[in-house]
């Protein structure tokens, strides 16, 4: 759930400095850019500098999109370099505030887990899944015939399952729900088996080979997820913006013959990219003033269609991309009142 950063062969200090300069140029994107910069500072080992970036965001006059995520990341970072008391105080504050976003819950629960606070981690994971999947009412377990949990909550279910395995707890309804959304060929029980670590000390070549295969699969998936700093993004123009764009720059009408065709092309392009094996896909939303400013920065004309993919890439690099595809039950990316499964995901 942390901001995406490349896995290796990266000068994290230089990347952080670049992102901080970009945040100064684009203050409207400062939150996403500085979160990524802080992640690079942590990876470079300069944790006090990362804390300074989190404090900069929290002290900003601008309202944050994800204030609890910033606090959670700050707490996790503080604990890593000896500020345990302050980290615990922030975590307690987040749990009391009960945000409806899964990301801060995951950060603080994993932070507790990584410092062997397994009981506290279990309580935090459980509080999160109960709040996000049953609401603030009296429900304490998922309904057997309930809707599939949103993808963003899956890491919470997996984390809770993992901690319960380490505590030796019996499976419950939430663990069963985690099993239903788990898609890897290795079961969660096997993946989270505390005894797996002991197999690394085995002298049996078959056991060692099996464990190496599992570890390689996990490492490969992790590196693949971190291999690109921002999504491969397709540009989306809302209806009013597209009308303004084509009226101001008629030559672009060839790129966008109609709004419906524009939406259909976006979905088709993304499905083609997905079918070719491209991961980490997203959609960025353009505005005419922003596009004109980008063209000016490139010393080019907005009428140049070759600027469009560059503009999309720049928006993605500034943290403006929304992941694609949405959940089938989530609102469609096109802005209609229908769900994705009823609209472009049909």
């Amino acid at each position: 759930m942390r901001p995406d950063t490349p896995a290796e062969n990266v000068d994290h200090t230089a990347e952080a400095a670049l992102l901080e300069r970009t945040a100064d140029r684009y203050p409207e994107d400062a939150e996403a850019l500085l979160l990524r910069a802080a992640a690079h500072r942590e990876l470079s080992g300069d944790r006090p500098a990362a804390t300074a970036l989190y404090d900069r965001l929290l002290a900003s006059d601008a309202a944050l999109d994800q204030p609890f995520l910033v606090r959670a990341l700050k707490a996790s970072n503080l604990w890593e370099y000896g500020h345990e008391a302050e980290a615990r105080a922030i975590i307690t504050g987040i749990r009391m505030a009960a945000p409806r976003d899964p990301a801060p819950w995951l950060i603080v629960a994993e932070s507790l887990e990584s410092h062997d606070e397994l009981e506290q981690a279990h309580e935090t994971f459980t509080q999160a899944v109960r709040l996000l999947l049953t609401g603030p009412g009296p429900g304490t377990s998922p309904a057997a015939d309930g809707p599939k949990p949103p993808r963003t909550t899956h890491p919470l279910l997996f984390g809770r399952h993992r901690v319960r395995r380490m505590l030796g707890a019996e499976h419950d309804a939430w663990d069963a729900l985690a099993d239903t959304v788990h898609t890897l060929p290795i079961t969660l029980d096997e993946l989270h088996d505390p005894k797996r670590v002991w197999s690394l000390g085995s002298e049996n070549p078959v056991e060692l080979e099996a464990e190496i295969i599992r570890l390689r699969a996990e490492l490969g998936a992790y590196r693949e997820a971190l291999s690109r700093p921002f999504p491969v993004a397709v540009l989306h123009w809302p209806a009013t913006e597209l009308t303004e764009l084509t009226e101001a720059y008629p030559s672009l009408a060839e790129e966008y013959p109609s709004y419906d065709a524009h939406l259909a092309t976006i979905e088709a392009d993304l499905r083609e990219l997905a079918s070719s094996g491209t991961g980490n896909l997203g959609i960025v939303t353009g505005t005419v003033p922003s596009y004109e400013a980008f063209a000016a920065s490139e010393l080019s004309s907005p009428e140049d269609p070759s600027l469009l993919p560059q503009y999309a890439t720049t928006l993605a690099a500034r943290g403006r991309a929304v992941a694609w595809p949405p959940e089938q039950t989530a609102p469609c990316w096109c802005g209609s009142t229908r769900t994705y499964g009823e609209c472009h995901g049909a």
Side-chain angles (χ1 to χ4, degrees):
M1 304 293 282
R2 284 179 175 272
D4 290 335
T5 51
E8 53 189 25
N9 299 325
V10 171
D11 184 340
H12 293 293
T13 300
E15 288 291 328
L18 174 61
L19 288 163
E20 290 166 34
R21 291 194 298 271
T22 306
D24 291 334
R25 290 181 57 195
Y26 302 102
E28 69 275 18
D29 297 328
E31 183 175 351
L33 293 166
L34 291 180
L35 284 179
R36 287 170 54 200
H40 280 291
R41 292 294 185 191
E42 290 188 33
L43 290 169
S44 73
D46 192 353
R47 293 191 175 276
T51 295
L53 291 176
Y54 296 133
D55 287 337
R56 173 179 166 183
L57 283 170
L58 293 170
S60 172
D61 293 333
L64 298 177
D65 293 331
Q66 297 176 295
F68 292 108
L69 175 61
V70 178
R71 290 187 175 91
L73 290 167
K74 177 184 175 182
S76 176
N77 181 57
L78 283 169
W79 203 334
E80 290 299 325
Y81 71 108
H83 295 264
E84 178 182 341
E86 187 176 355
R88 286 182 180 275
I90 295 173
I91 290 173
T92 299
I94 291 171
R95 292 186 61 182
M96 291 178 63
R100 301 307 296 257
D101 176 12
W105 286 107
L106 183 64
I107 295 295
V108 298
E110 288 187 341
S111 182
L112 290 163
E113 179 187 352
S114 68
H115 290 89
D116 295 326
E117 300 282 350
L118 297 183
E119 292 288 353
Q120 286 293 316
H122 177 249
E123 290 179 11
T124 304
F125 277 125
T126 301
Q127 182 184 352
V129 297
R130 285 177 176 170
L131 173 69
L132 299 176
L133 298 180
T134 63
T140 59
S141 61
D145 57 348
K148 184 178 179 181
R151 189 180 306 167
T152 53
T153 64
H154 293 185
L156 291 171
L157 291 167
F158 299 153
R160 183 180 182 277
H161 185 287
R162 180 178 61 248
V163 169
R164 287 174 62 80
R165 286 286 281 147
M166 288 189 286
L167 290 171
E170 295 292 332
H171 266 45
D172 63 6
W174 292 112
D175 292 325
L177 182 61
D179 288 330
T180 65
V181 298
H182 176 68
T183 58
L184 292 178
I186 302 173
T187 66
L188 282 180
D189 276 342
E190 183 180 3
L191 193 63
H192 297 158
D193 186 355
K195 296 180 180 179
R196 284 184 61 195
V197 68
W198 294 106
S199 67
L200 294 176
S202 171
E203 296 182 358
N204 186 329
V206 175
E207 291 182 3
L208 284 172
E209 184 178 2
E211 184 61 24
I212 289 171
I213 291 172
R214 283 194 292 265
L215 290 172
R216 281 178 175 170
E218 292 174 33
L219 181 60
Y222 179 71
R223 285 185 169 175
E224 183 179 355
L226 296 179
S227 63
R228 191 179 294 112
F230 49 84
V232 174
V234 175
L235 181 60
H236 166 231
W237 297 98
T240 54
E241 295 291 338
L242 185 62
T243 299
E244 182 180 346
L245 179 75
T246 52
E247 288 178 352
Y249 307 105
S251 63
L252 295 181
E254 296 182 8
E255 301 290 324
Y256 306 110
S258 72
Y259 181 62
D260 288 341
H262 170 50
L263 298 183
T265 299
I266 291 173
E267 184 71 23
D269 287 348
L270 287 166
R271 292 191 182 200
E272 183 177 354
L273 287 168
S275 66
S276 68
T278 304
N280 199 17
L281 298 172
I283 297 175
V284 290
T285 300
T287 66
V288 174
S290 170
Y291 177 59
E292 290 172 337
F294 172 75
S297 71
E298 295 292 314
L299 303 179
S300 185
S301 167
E303 295 186 276
D304 182 0
S306 67
L307 280 181
L308 296 169
Q310 298 177 45
Y311 175 54
T313 300
T314 300
L315 290 178
R318 288 164 56 187
R320 309 298 285 184
V322 176
W324 180 94
E327 295 283 346
Q328 287 289 306
T329 56
C332 188
W333 56 263
C334 71
S336 70
T337 58
R338 293 176 293 174
T339 66
Y340 178 64
E342 297 170 336
C343 193
H344 284 90

